[in-house]
Amino acid sequence: MNVPLKDTGTELLVEIRGVEVLRYVYRPDTAGFEAPKPYFHPLRTTAGDVVSCFRPHDHRWHKGIQMTASWVSGENFWGGGTYVSPEQGYVDLPNNGSMRHEEWLEPGVERLTWWTQSGEHWIDETRTLTVRPGEGWWELGFATSLSNVRGEELVFGSPTTNGREMAGYAGFFWRGPRSFTGGTVLASDGQGGPEMMGRTASWLAFTGQHDEVDRASTLLFESAPGTVWFVRAEPFAAVNPSLAFFEETRLGPGETLDLAYRVVIAEGAWGRDRLEAHLADHPWERQT
């Protein structure tokens, strides 16, 4: 059962049993250097605990959960500086593009366009959002189709594809609350811990503790088999099923790239048995 999405004209709001669990800001008021784009924040558990971070002082362009791209043929749809090479490192360039909301094709189905800072239209996007409730948990489904309208090949990369070791962030990205620093990472096939950076897994879970209340929360991320993960518990909590960690993803003129993710946001610290039981009981119905 999908939960209705309430549209304010600039945001989508979702409530489950009286708790606002999701706010999707699709017309953001964002500075150009932060690469304006829609974002999910705040995200809350069904107990009301916030599990996302907005504009942290270390990376102002991190905003809850976003669909991002740190390198697209030299353009930056992530925000901040661009990692150019090991010799140059991060450089502030006039290349911070934007993802613009165009219209809702139907409830939960959004049409967007990607524009470079210089005003070139490179990508048409259609993304589909779904929310399903559970007992002590809920899930966000996010599917997107990216169509190359540039007229020439688009190359999706990351700092790692440009020479920075183990920094392959690209794509669907979550930044967790400050209190989640030092949290627990578990993943499929018996894997887990900080060594998941740059490893392959079909799912990955992050558990963190909240300030002020004596509670923990768990986020369970799913992506396509073979996904390489960018994940950190130190110096801050972040998870990204990368679309270009070690290798670039190339999209020819007129071609479309389909991606899909599921995030389960749960009350409490879920161990491996609980995570695997949930996955078995609630298999992912991928939207693409």
Side-chain angles (χ1 to χ4, degrees):
M1 177 184 69
N2 290 334
V3 178
L5 310 174
K6 178 183 178 182
D7 191 350
T8 71
T10 58
E11 305 168 320
L12 294 183
L13 310 178
V14 176
E15 290 189 0
I16 296 176
R17 292 184 287 278
V19 176
E20 183 189 293
V21 296
L22 175 151
R23 189 173 290 247
Y24 177 64
V25 182
Y26 62 85
R27 295 191 188 277
D29 180 14
T30 302
F33 185 66
E34 298 172 19
K37 66 185 81 67
Y39 61 84
F40 297 91
H41 177 82
L43 294 164
R44 295 184 176 92
T45 67
T46 48
D49 297 325
V50 176
V51 294
S52 57
C53 183
F54 180 78
R55 292 195 79 240
H57 64 78
D58 49 55
H59 296 80
R60 300 293 190 194
W61 43 93
H62 290 181
K63 296 176 174 68
I65 291 179
Q66 296 177 295
M67 182 63 197
T68 65
S70 52
W71 176 275
V72 184
S73 297
E75 299 296 316
N76 179 343
F77 295 92
W78 185 275
T82 299
Y83 191 86
V84 177
S85 68
E87 294 74 27
Q88 294 179 276
Y90 285 93
V91 181
D92 292 347
L93 300 172
N95 69 340
N96 283 296
S98 62
M99 303 178 193
R100 303 179 189 174
H101 168 87
E102 298 293 346
E103 63 178 330
W104 292 105
L105 300 174
E106 59 184 86
V109 181
E110 182 183 17
R111 184 173 71 86
L112 306 96
T113 53
W114 294 30
W115 297 79
T116 68
Q117 186 171 330
S118 63
E120 295 183 3
H121 177 196
W122 277 14
I123 294 174
D124 281 341
E125 178 184 1
T126 301
R127 64 178 62 168
T128 302
L129 315 177
T130 58
V131 176
R132 294 186 176 91
E135 292 297 326
W137 58 270
W138 64 276
E139 71 173 51
L140 169 65
F142 184 100
T144 183
S145 295
L146 306 176
S147 298
N148 179 357
V149 297
R150 182 189 181 192
E152 57 185 278
E153 183 181 59
L154 291 174
V155 180
F156 292 81
S158 68
T160 294
T161 64
N162 284 353
R164 183 185 174 198
E165 292 187 0
M166 303 305 282
Y169 50 84
F172 188 75
F173 186 87
W174 166 75
R175 173 69 185 258
R178 289 286 182 187
S179 66
F180 277 30
T181 303
T184 300
V185 176
L186 296 174
S188 63
D189 305 311
Q191 302 181 94
E195 59 269 27
M196 285 307 301
M197 177 68 86
R199 286 193 177 180
T200 300
S202 59
W203 62 263
L204 184 143
F206 195 109
T207 297
Q209 297 285 336
H210 293 282
D211 291 332
E212 300 186 26
V213 295
D214 297 329
R215 290 194 289 268
S217 297
T218 300
L219 285 83
L220 169 61
F221 298 83
E222 285 186 88
S223 185
T227 293
V228 180
W229 294 81
F230 177 94
V231 56
R232 282 182 175 157
E234 302 280 354
F236 52 77
V239 173
N240 162 226
S242 180
L243 64 87
F245 198 109
F246 295 115
E247 298 180 359
E248 296 170 336
T249 295
R250 295 178 176 270
L251 191 63
E255 293 182 347
T256 297
L257 175 65
D258 293 321
L259 303 166
Y261 311 98
R262 175 168 75 159
V263 186
V264 177
I265 296 175
E267 299 177 32
W270 285 18
R272 185 174 300 278
D273 289 348
R274 179 77 181 273
L275 291 163
E276 292 180 344
H278 183 91
L279 291 164
D281 293 341
H282 303 279
W284 184 18
E285 299 176 3
R286 291 190 62 180
Q287 299 159 2
T288 60

Coordinates of all heavy atoms in Angstrom, one line a residue, residues 185-219:
V185 N 27.8 -0.4 10.4 CA 27.5 -0.8 9.0 C 27.5 -2.3 8.9 O 28.4 -3.0 9.3 CB 28.6 -0.2 8.1 CG1 28.3 -0.6 6.7 CG2 28.6 1.3 8.2
L186 N 26.4 -2.8 8.3 CA 26.2 -4.2 8.0 C 25.9 -4.3 6.5 O 25.2 -3.3 6.0 CB 25.2 -4.9 8.8 CG 25.4 -5.0 10.3 CD1 24.2 -5.5 11.0 CD2 26.6 -5.8 10.6
A187 N 26.2 -5.4 5.8 CA 25.9 -5.5 4.4 C 25.7 -7.0 4.1 O 25.8 -7.9 4.9 CB 27.1 -4.9 3.6
S188 N 25.2 -7.2 2.9 CA 24.9 -8.6 2.4 C 26.1 -9.5 2.5 O 27.3 -9.0 2.5 CB 24.3 -8.5 1.0 OG 25.3 -8.0 0.1
D189 N 25.9 -10.8 2.4 CA 26.9 -11.8 2.3 C 27.9 -11.8 3.5 O 29.1 -12.0 3.4 CB 27.7 -11.6 1.0 CG 26.8 -11.7 -0.2 OD1 26.0 -12.6 -0.3 OD2 26.9 -10.8 -1.0
G190 N 27.3 -11.4 4.7 CA 28.1 -11.4 5.9 C 29.1 -10.3 6.1 O 30.0 -10.3 6.9
Q191 N 29.0 -9.3 5.2 CA 30.0 -8.2 5.2 C 29.5 -7.1 6.2 O 28.4 -7.1 6.7 CB 30.1 -7.6 3.8 CG 30.5 -8.6 2.7 CD 30.6 -7.9 1.4 OE1 31.7 -7.4 1.0 NE2 29.5 -7.8 0.7
G192 N 30.4 -6.1 6.4 CA 30.1 -5.0 7.3 C 31.4 -4.2 7.7 O 32.5 -4.6 7.3
G193 N 31.1 -3.1 8.4 CA 32.2 -2.3 8.9 C 32.7 -1.3 7.9 O 32.3 -1.2 6.8
P194 N 33.7 -0.5 8.3 CA 34.2 0.6 7.4 C 34.9 0.0 6.2 O 35.0 0.8 5.2 CB 35.2 1.3 8.3 CG 35.6 0.3 9.4 CD 34.4 -0.5 9.7
E195 N 35.3 -1.2 6.2 CA 35.9 -1.8 5.0 C 34.9 -2.0 3.8 O 35.3 -2.4 2.7 CB 36.5 -3.2 5.3 CG 35.6 -4.2 5.9 CD 35.5 -4.2 7.4 OE1 35.8 -3.1 8.0 OE2 35.2 -5.3 8.0
M196 N 33.6 -1.7 4.1 CA 32.6 -1.7 3.0 C 32.8 -0.6 2.0 O 32.3 -0.6 0.9 CB 31.2 -1.6 3.5 CG 30.7 -2.9 4.2 SD 30.9 -4.4 3.1 CE 29.9 -3.9 1.7
M197 N 33.7 0.4 2.3 CA 34.0 1.4 1.3 C 34.6 0.8 0.1 O 35.7 0.1 0.2 CB 34.9 2.4 1.9 CG 35.4 3.5 0.9 SD 34.1 4.6 0.4 CE 34.2 5.9 1.8
G198 N 33.9 0.9 -1.1 CA 34.5 0.4 -2.3 C 34.2 -1.1 -2.5 O 34.7 -1.6 -3.5
R199 N 33.4 -1.7 -1.7 CA 33.0 -3.1 -1.9 C 31.6 -3.2 -2.5 O 30.8 -2.3 -2.5 CB 33.0 -3.8 -0.5 CG 34.4 -4.1 0.0 CD 34.4 -5.1 1.2 NE 35.7 -5.4 1.6 CZ 35.9 -6.3 2.6 NH1 34.9 -6.9 3.2 NH2 37.2 -6.5 3.0
T200 N 31.4 -4.4 -3.0 CA 30.1 -4.8 -3.7 C 29.2 -5.4 -2.7 O 29.6 -6.3 -1.9 CB 30.4 -5.7 -4.9 OG1 31.3 -5.0 -5.8 CG2 29.1 -6.1 -5.6
A201 N 27.9 -5.0 -2.7 CA 26.9 -5.7 -1.9 C 25.5 -5.3 -2.5 O 25.3 -4.3 -3.2 CB 26.9 -5.2 -0.5
S202 N 24.5 -6.2 -2.3 CA 23.2 -6.0 -2.9 C 22.4 -5.1 -1.9 O 21.4 -4.5 -2.3 CB 22.5 -7.3 -3.1 OG 22.4 -8.1 -1.9
W203 N 22.8 -5.1 -0.6 CA 22.2 -4.2 0.4 C 23.2 -3.8 1.4 O 24.2 -4.5 1.6 CB 20.9 -4.9 1.1 CG 21.2 -6.1 1.9 CD1 21.0 -7.4 1.4 CD2 21.6 -6.2 3.2 NE1 21.4 -8.3 2.4 CE2 21.7 -7.6 3.6 CE3 22.0 -5.3 4.2 CZ2 22.1 -8.0 4.8 CZ3 22.4 -5.7 5.5 CH2 22.5 -7.1 5.7
L204 N 22.9 -2.7 2.0 CA 23.8 -2.2 3.1 C 22.9 -1.4 4.1 O 22.0 -0.7 3.7 CB 24.8 -1.2 2.5 CG 25.9 -0.7 3.4 CD1 27.3 -0.6 2.8 CD2 25.5 0.7 4.0
A205 N 23.2 -1.6 5.4 CA 22.5 -1.0 6.5 C 23.4 -0.2 7.4 O 24.5 -0.6 7.6 CB 21.7 -2.1 7.3
F206 N 22.8 0.9 7.8 CA 23.6 1.8 8.7 C 22.7 2.1 10.0 O 21.5 2.5 9.9 CB 23.9 3.2 8.1 CG 24.9 4.0 8.8 CD1 26.2 4.1 8.2 CD2 24.6 4.6 10.0 CE1 27.1 4.9 8.9 CE2 25.6 5.4 10.6 CZ 26.8 5.5 10.1
T207 N 23.2 1.8 11.2 CA 22.5 2.0 12.4 C 23.3 3.1 13.2 O 24.5 3.1 13.4 CB 22.5 0.7 13.3 OG1 21.7 -0.2 12.6 CG2 21.8 1.0 14.6
G208 N 22.5 4.1 13.7 CA 23.1 5.1 14.5 C 22.3 5.4 15.7 O 21.1 5.1 15.8
Q209 N 22.9 6.1 16.7 CA 22.3 6.5 17.9 C 21.8 8.0 17.8 O 22.5 8.8 17.2 CB 23.2 6.4 19.1 CG 23.7 5.0 19.4 CD 22.6 4.1 20.1 OE1 21.7 4.6 20.7 NE2 22.8 2.8 19.9
H210 N 20.7 8.3 18.5 CA 20.2 9.7 18.5 C 20.6 10.4 19.8 O 20.7 9.8 20.9 CB 18.6 9.6 18.5 CG 18.1 9.2 17.2 ND1 18.1 9.9 16.0 CD2 17.6 8.0 16.8 CE1 17.6 9.2 15.0 NE2 17.3 8.0 15.5
D211 N 20.8 11.7 19.7 CA 21.0 12.5 20.8 C 19.6 12.8 21.5 O 18.6 12.6 20.8 CB 21.6 13.9 20.4 CG 23.0 13.8 20.0 OD1 23.7 12.8 20.5 OD2 23.5 14.6 19.2
E212 N 19.6 13.1 22.7 CA 18.4 13.6 23.5 C 17.5 12.4 23.8 O 16.9 12.4 24.9 CB 17.6 14.6 22.7 CG 18.4 15.9 22.4 CD 17.5 17.0 21.8 OE1 16.3 17.0 22.1 OE2 18.1 17.8 21.1
V213 N 17.3 11.5 23.0 CA 16.4 10.3 23.3 C 17.2 9.0 23.3 O 18.2 8.9 22.7 CB 15.3 10.2 22.2 CG1 14.4 11.4 22.2 CG2 15.8 10.0 20.8
D214 N 16.7 8.1 24.1 CA 17.4 6.8 24.3 C 17.0 5.8 23.2 O 16.4 4.8 23.5 CB 17.2 6.3 25.7 CG 17.7 7.2 26.8 OD1 18.7 7.9 26.5 OD2 17.1 7.2 27.9
R215 N 17.3 6.2 22.0 CA 16.9 5.4 20.9 C 17.9 5.3 19.8 O 18.8 6.2 19.6 CB 15.5 5.9 20.3 CG 14.3 5.7 21.1 CD 13.0 5.9 20.4 NE 12.8 7.3 20.0 CZ 12.1 8.1 20.7 NH1 11.6 7.8 21.9 NH2 11.9 9.4 20.3
A216 N 17.8 4.3 19.0 CA 18.7 4.1 17.8 C 17.7 4.0 16.6 O 16.5 3.7 16.7 CB 19.6 2.9 17.9
S217 N 18.2 4.2 15.4 CA 17.5 4.0 14.1 C 18.4 3.3 13.1 O 19.6 3.4 13.2 CB 17.0 5.3 13.6 OG 16.1 5.9 14.4
T218 N 17.8 2.6 12.2 CA 18.5 1.8 11.2 C 17.9 2.2 9.8 O 16.7 2.3 9.6 CB 18.4 0.3 11.4 OG1 18.9 0.0 12.6 CG2 19.1 -0.4 10.3
L219 N 18.8 2.5 8.9 CA 18.5 2.7 7.5 C 19.0 1.5 6.7 O 20.2 1.2 6.7 CB 19.0 4.0 6.9 CG 18.2 5.2 7.4 CD1 18.7 5.7 8.8 CD2 18.4 6.4 6.4

